[in-house]
């Protein structure tokens, strides 16, 4: 997993992570996650995810097909797609 993460951060694939690459990664992924993780447990539960989704102006850029499963909201559709636990 750490190799995958390194390859993801190393944008120009020179086998080094520059300060600019690190800053971009932190800005795009780590800082937003930390801001959403209000319980400070390194896990976003459904309520934290919902607040994050609703407050992110970029969430409007993602469009969903009408849900045929009882009208689940977009935040729940994403959570169901990417959740790794059974809760």
């Amino acid at each position: 997993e750490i190799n995958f993460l390194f390859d993801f951060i190393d944008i120009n694939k020179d086998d080094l992570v520059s300060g600019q690459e690190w800053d971009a990664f932190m800005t795009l992924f780590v800082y937003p996650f930390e801001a959403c993780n209000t319980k400070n447990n390194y896990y976003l539960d459904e309520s934290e995810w919902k607040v994050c989704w609703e407050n992110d102006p970029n969430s409007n850029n993602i469009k969903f097909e009408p849900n045929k499963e009882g009208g689940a909201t977009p935040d729940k559709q994403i959570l169901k797609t990417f959740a790794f636990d059974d809760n």
Side-chain angles (χ1 to χ4, degrees):
E1 292 175 351
I2 195 69
N3 287 334
F4 174 80
L5 188 58
F6 179 86
D7 289 341
F8 184 78
I9 297 169
D10 183 23
I11 296 169
N12 64 2
K13 305 303 179 210
D14 64 353
D15 293 326
L16 300 169
V17 174
S18 70
Q20 184 177 7
E21 289 169 326
W22 182 252
D23 290 343
F25 172 73
M26 295 294 289
T27 299
L28 289 171
F29 296 99
V30 176
Y31 298 145
F33 177 87
E34 288 177 342
C36 292
N37 186 226
T38 57
K39 295 177 183 172
N40 297 315
N41 60 0
Y42 301 102
Y43 175 83
L44 294 184
D45 65 22
E46 189 172 338
S47 64
E48 289 170 315
W49 169 251
K50 181 174 175 50
V51 169
C52 247
W53 175 262
E54 290 174 347
N55 291 324
D56 185 343
N58 293 313
S59 66
N60 293 327
N61 295 328
I62 302 173
K63 304 296 181 208
F64 292 90
E65 293 290 325
N67 189 331
K68 298 173 186 163
E69 298 177 16
T73 57
D75 59 282
K76 288 193 180 207
Q77 290 180 40
I78 289 176
L79 190 61
K80 181 179 178 182
T81 301
F82 292 104
F84 295 105
D85 65 359
D86 294 330
N87 298 327

